[in-house]
Amino acid sequence: MGQHTLIIVPTYNERENLPPLAAELLNLPVPVDLLVADDHSPDGTGRLADELAARHPQIHVLHRAEKSGLGRAYCAGFAWALERDYEFIFEMDGDFSHNPEDIPRFLEAARNADLVLGSRYCKGIRVINWPLSRLLLSMGAAQYVRIVTGMPFTDPTGGFKCFRRATLRSIDLRSIRSNGYSFQIEMTHKIWRQGLKIVEVPIIFTDRYQGTSKMSGHIVREALLMVWRLWFQNGLRQSPRRRPSAPRT
Ligand SMILES: Nc1nc2c(ncn2[C@@H]2O[C@H](COP(=O)(O)OP(=O)(O)OP(=O)(O)O)[C@@H](O)[C@H]2O)c(=O)[nH]1
Ligand SMILES: [Mg+2]
């Protein structure tokens, strides 16, 4: 308890994945707290999370009334974190696509950055178990984001990230509109265009082996439009409004 690091995991029907994921997080060499943001999962993930929280003081649960998307769940989790004293606040999927063992490397990088992005595509391609079509969609999305917005990151739709507290505070979370992949793009763009320092760390992404996917055409369309909106919000610039700040120590 009282740690500086919070891992936010949004869940919707992740009952097979949550207990082993929580166990791995609590066994890391660095101490972390876990916040499960559950949207009233029909499979009882929320109840399971309460049972885990009753046994482990590092585990917390945010119950939300209905399924309202990953972006809403994360924003509620960020607000929860900012009401407490966390310095390093992570986004992480609850389906083991992201490896908890990468967390110490993120924390190392975050000492000298405002936001750390896990990247599947920097220095090679590291995606396990995806059909080629999904890989091409994801890599094509990354190119599209770069061409329209100028944001130079290799994996702008990735969902394994570590925010510094001050970085989250610099964003008006109520202004975040998007929910699917575009939520990831929107958050990163709002940080990048302020001139804050963003670094990428390579990660291996493994497709879920349990539970069901929530990917949909709506999510893709949302992202296609959002990218243009972000470019517009940035005054049609393809660079930050301000120069990146001096690295922190
Ligand atoms: N609270 C909440 N969590 C969600 C919602 N949609 C997805 N999630 C969770 O967000 C994480 C990422 O969602 P996924 O469904 O794995 O999305 P994805 O990785 O893009 O797609 P697949 O792995 O192919 O299903 C998982 O932990 C989900 O349980 C939602 O509406 N509310
Ligand atoms: Mg997934």
Side-chain angles (χ1 to χ4, degrees):
M1 272 191 307
Q3 306 303 346
H4 297 301
T5 304
L6 180 70
I7 316 296
I8 306 175
V9 176
T11 55
Y12 193 74
N13 291 346
E14 300 287 0
R15 63 174 298 151
E16 301 97 337
N17 290 317
L18 183 63
L21 180 65
E24 281 200 30
L25 288 169
L26 297 194
N27 279 325
L28 287 176
V30 291
V32 302
D33 281 7
L34 164 63
L35 177 65
V36 179
D38 185 69
D39 277 7
H40 205 75
S41 296
D43 77 347
T45 303
R47 232 173 307 123
L48 197 58
D50 283 336
E51 286 167 26
L52 292 168
R55 275 186 278 135
H56 304 281
Q58 306 95 315
I59 301 180
H60 309 272
V61 191
L62 202 56
H63 292 283
R64 299 169 45 74
E66 55 178 22
K67 178 163 168 51
S68 49
L70 184 120
R72 297 280 79 73
Y74 270 130
C75 285
F78 295 150
W80 188 96
L82 292 176
E83 285 163 13
R84 290 156 183 85
D85 62 355
Y86 296 102
E87 175 60 35
F88 301 100
I89 300 153
F90 280 74
E91 287 184 7
M92 186 175 155
D93 284 359
D95 59 358
F96 277 105
S97 290
H98 300 147
N99 184 351
E101 289 174 12
D102 291 335
I103 287 171
R105 276 194 302 123
F106 277 73
L107 288 170
E108 191 60 37
R111 287 165 57 172
N112 194 23
D114 299 303
L115 168 63
V116 180
L117 304 176
S119 173
R120 297 164 281 196
Y121 310 126
C122 67
K123 303 177 193 142
I125 299 172
R126 290 168 308 278
V127 174
I128 296 174
N129 262 351
W130 258 5
L132 184 62
S133 57
R134 182 111 191 235
L135 178 66
L136 291 176
L137 178 66
S138 174
M139 294 184 69
Q143 277 295 336
Y144 177 80
V145 170
R146 183 198 286 254
I147 290 167
V148 176
T149 67
M151 195 164 68
F153 308 114
T154 56
D155 191 1
T157 60
F160 198 5
K161 321 184 163 179
C162 173
F163 302 85
R164 297 290 294 244
R165 177 184 191 81
T167 307
L168 280 182
R169 288 183 54 128
S170 74
I171 295 177
D172 178 8
L173 293 173
R174 289 161 310 177
S175 75
I176 302 284
R177 284 281 141 262
S178 49
N179 239 334
Y181 292 104
S182 68
F183 170 73
Q184 305 301 355
I185 303 167
E186 186 177 6
M187 287 293 294
T188 299
H189 192 270
K190 288 197 154 136
I191 293 163
W192 170 75
R193 73 194 189 207
Q194 298 181 58
L196 294 177
K197 184 171 179 197
I198 304 180
V199 300
E200 293 188 299
V201 297
I203 59 162
I204 299 173
F205 177 96
T206 312
D207 194 20
R208 63 166 64 249
Y209 57 95
Q210 292 187 98
T212 48
S213 172
K214 291 113 197 163
M215 180 68 179
S216 73
H218 168 74
I219 285 175
V220 175
R221 285 192 296 278
E222 183 189 37
L224 286 174
L225 285 176
M226 171 55 65
V227 168
W228 291 98
R229 179 175 308 164
L230 292 170
W231 173 64
F232 190 75
Q233 286 175 358
N234 196 30
L236 317 191
R237 266 185 215 86
Q238 293 190 311
S239 58
R241 280 166 196 247
R242 282 187 261 134
R243 308 288 313 153
S245 48
R248 28 170 119 234
T249 47

